[in-house]
Amino acid sequence: MIVPVMLVVVFDLCLPAQTPPNAATTAMQVHTDLNRLMRGLLYPASNVVFSAQNDNPADVKRIPGRDPAMATDPLTSTFGGWQAVENAALVLSESANLLLIPGRNCANGLPVPVNNPDWVKLVQELRDAGMNAYQAAQSKNQDKMVEAADTLSAACAACHRKWREKPRLADRCK
Ligand code: HEC
């Protein structure tokens, strides 16, 4: 019993002192293109927010026989109901940060125009719309959710009009 403990101690002493954080380990990293980020993060989160217009999140039931800890729909999960709407709204505001980090491409290979003032402004509209939806969700008022959802979908659409809706894929993000 004692021997393995000793070994661990000796091994520990051989390790270098804790490595200080450096740019290589702490820098933000891009893992996907803009289209997939939209499909994987903004799209599902916004659907949770949009759903609260018609379906009262307080009435959303967990799925019988399914473990809420394993739910694929945040609304029916352990952190479901209005809390799921709040969380989705916050994630949308946080996603604004991901839309601004350098080094990401659009699906056509062009860089996301993070230095273009119009891009920055439209990202800010998304950020604000997310926080607005968060406040509406906190009020648990579905009329407020209808307004907040309008503002949110307008923020998505404004950017899509300018950067996505192009007859040719090659012209996106230009
Ligand atoms: C600041 C600009 C911007 C904002 C804000 C924005 N998008 Fe996008 N979105 C784009 C661009 C540009 C593309 C195309 C990306 C590409 O081709 O790589 C896109 C693509 C998408 C796609 C993929 C569509 C497809 O057919 O593959 C979805 C889904 C999407 N966005 C949803 C949303 C939703 C929902 C919101 C709002 C909550 C939103 N987007 C906000 C710029 C934006």
Side-chain angles (χ1 to χ4, degrees):
M1 289 292 279
I2 289 167
V3 175
V5 173
M6 296 285 287
L7 281 175
V8 168
V9 171
V10 171
F11 178 69
D12 254 7
L13 291 174
C14 297
L15 289 174
Q18 205 175 12
T19 29
N22 62 48
T25 52
T26 58
M28 292 179 287
Q29 294 178 28
V30 167
H31 299 286
T32 188
D33 67 29
L34 183 65
N35 217 36
R36 283 217 179 180
L37 184 63
M38 292 278 161
R39 290 179 183 179
L41 187 63
L42 284 82
Y43 171 66
S46 62
N47 280 345
V48 171
V49 171
F50 293 145
S51 77
Q53 301 174 91
N54 296 321
D55 304 328
N56 190 330
D59 298 336
V60 176
K61 300 273 179 290
R62 291 181 175 180
I63 302 171
R66 295 281 288 272
D67 181 357
M70 300 292 284
T72 50
D73 174 359
L75 285 152
T76 63
S77 78
T78 314
F79 313 107
W82 280 106
Q83 191 191 164
V85 183
E86 288 182 19
N87 291 340
L90 290 171
V91 158
L92 286 168
S93 290
E94 287 286 353
S95 79
N97 296 320
L98 294 178
L99 297 181
L100 291 174
I101 66 174
R104 189 184 312 284
N105 283 346
C106 296
N108 62 8
L110 292 180
V112 175
V114 291
N115 294 322
N116 185 306
D118 288 342
W119 180 265
V120 175
K121 180 174 153 282
L122 290 161
V123 169
Q124 184 60 40
E125 282 175 24
L126 171 69
R127 195 189 292 281
D128 294 343
M131 292 315 290
N132 182 49
Y134 171 58
Q135 280 155 16
Q138 280 183 310
S139 77
K140 299 184 170 51
N141 176 328
Q142 280 190 285
D143 292 336
K144 291 212 169 125
M145 285 312 300
V146 172
E147 285 170 29
D150 269 359
T151 308
L152 178 62
S153 75
C156 310
C159 191
H160 289 167
R161 256 195 313 277
K162 177 146 178 68
W163 304 97
R164 186 183 75 161
E165 283 153 29
K166 307 280 177 179
R168 293 182 339 125
L169 199 66
D171 292 330
R172 281 184 181 177
C173 300
K174 256 191 194 167

